[in-house]
């Protein structure tokens, strides 16, 4: 009985042992208290984007390996924010999640309140196919954050802006002051992006 309750609490972080012939060799869960044991030095970024749990998986097929980081966030907007923080100049993958990007051996995407990172040396097709299978276990929720209503109207480089909602992330990109001068604690949302010879900061 206790085991069944535990599986329900961890779902969907408790992924199958076998995914497309890849076998789960290792699985660990991290939270805000021990995230630094896994991500040394950058844990504060993930904490600032309000993640609840991080499932770390190692899937293997012979000597081949896929490393999967599955972040369960507090709300969908935090998953989206983390995606904007980590995306770069990679190739968009339109068929995966809400948004996805692949560059080198790294594939990232977000769906609902989940952010997913896949890393492997086995090539683009394997990463995408594996990501499609992972997405099946992620519940989709409504995107209920207001900034999305404005993004399509802005003529900003989609891959360069960061969506955020606290001073920690703003200061990470461009340090201003530690004090919450924009009232993020009361629901302010922001976009930070390079613009011409400087930067643009949009707050809602």
């Amino acid at each position: 009985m206790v085991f069944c309750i535990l599986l329900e609490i961890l779902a969907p972080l408790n992924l199958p042992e076998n995914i497309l012939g890849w076998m789960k060799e290792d699985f660990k869960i991290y939270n805000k208290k021990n995230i630094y044991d896994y991500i040394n030095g950058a844990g504060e970024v993930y904490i600032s984007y309000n993640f609840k749990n991080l499932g770390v998986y190692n899937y293997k097929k012979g000597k081949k390996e896929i490393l999967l980081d599955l972040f369960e966030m507090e709300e969908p907007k935090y998953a989206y924010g983390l995606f904007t923080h980590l995306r770069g100049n990679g190739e968009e993958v339109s068929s995966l999640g809400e948004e996805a990007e692949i560059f080198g051996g790294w594939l990232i995407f977000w769906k609902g309140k989940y952010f997913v990172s896949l890393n492997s040396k086995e090539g683009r097709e394997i990463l995408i196919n594996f990501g499609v299978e992972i997405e099946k276990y992620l519940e989709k929720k409504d995107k209920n954050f207001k900034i999305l209503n404005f993004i399509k109207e802005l003529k900003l480089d989609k891959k360069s802006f960061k969506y955020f909602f606290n001073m920690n992330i703003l200061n990470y990109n461009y340090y201003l002051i530690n004090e919450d001068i924009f009232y993020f604690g009361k629901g302010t949302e922001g976009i930070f992006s390079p613009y011409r010879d400087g930067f643009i900061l949009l707050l809602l």
Side-chain angles (χ1 to χ4, degrees):
M1 180 65 175
V2 174
F3 180 71
C4 292
I5 293 176
L6 180 60
L7 285 182
E8 183 177 349
I9 291 173
L10 296 180
L13 294 187
N14 189 56
L15 294 174
E17 296 292 325
N18 186 330
I19 298 180
L20 298 177
W22 295 83
M23 303 303 298
K24 183 168 63 176
E25 296 288 331
D26 193 19
F27 168 49
K28 294 180 180 179
I29 289 186
Y30 296 88
N31 54 41
K32 294 178 182 179
K33 293 182 179 180
N34 63 1
I35 182 66
Y36 296 101
D37 293 340
Y38 179 62
I39 304 176
N40 186 19
E44 188 62 34
V45 171
Y46 298 92
I47 292 174
S48 295
Y49 275 110
N50 292 331
F51 88 98
K52 290 175 61 178
N53 296 294
L54 163 61
V56 177
Y57 307 79
N58 193 340
Y59 280 89
K60 291 187 177 181
K61 182 184 291 186
K63 295 184 178 181
K64 299 178 180 180
E65 182 177 8
I66 295 177
L67 179 63
L68 163 63
D69 291 345
L70 173 56
F71 288 86
E72 179 188 9
M73 317 299 284
E74 295 282 353
E75 298 179 30
K77 69 178 183 179
Y78 302 131
Y80 175 64
L82 184 55
F83 177 82
T84 67
H85 182 81
L86 294 176
R87 68 183 168 192
N89 294 315
E91 173 191 353
E92 292 185 37
V93 182
S94 59
S95 60
L96 185 58
E98 302 285 354
E99 291 184 69
E101 184 174 284
I102 188 168
F103 38 101
W106 195 30
L107 169 66
I108 61 173
F109 70 91
W110 73 282
K111 179 181 179 181
K113 63 176 182 177
Y114 299 98
F115 173 80
V116 180
S117 170
L118 290 165
N119 187 274
S120 179
K121 298 178 180 179
E122 304 309 321
R124 177 183 184 278
E125 184 176 354
I126 286 178
L127 274 176
I128 292 176
N129 289 340
F130 196 90
V132 168
E133 290 300 310
I134 295 299
E135 183 183 359
K136 295 177 181 179
Y137 296 92
L138 307 181
E139 179 185 1
K140 183 175 182 178
K141 291 191 174 183
D142 292 337
K143 301 186 291 291
N144 57 353
F145 39 108
K146 56 191 177 183
I147 204 75
L148 282 183
N149 297 327
F150 292 85
I151 288 177
K152 293 182 180 180
E153 305 296 329
L154 301 175
K155 295 182 179 180
L156 299 176
D157 181 2
K158 180 180 178 181
K159 294 186 178 182
S160 66
F161 74 80
K162 313 296 183 184
Y163 166 57
F164 64 97
F165 23 77
N166 60 49
M167 289 299 298
N168 288 338
I169 297 299
L170 177 57
N171 285 335
Y172 186 93
N173 290 280
Y174 187 87
Y175 181 79
L176 289 177
I177 190 173
N178 285 329
E179 185 179 353
D180 185 11
I181 58 175
F182 299 120
Y183 301 101
F184 290 111
K186 295 184 179 180
T188 300
E189 298 177 7
I191 286 178
F192 179 83
S193 176
Y195 184 73
R196 295 182 179 177
D197 295 329
F199 299 92
I200 184 171
L201 176 64
L202 172 66
L203 301 172
L204 296 176

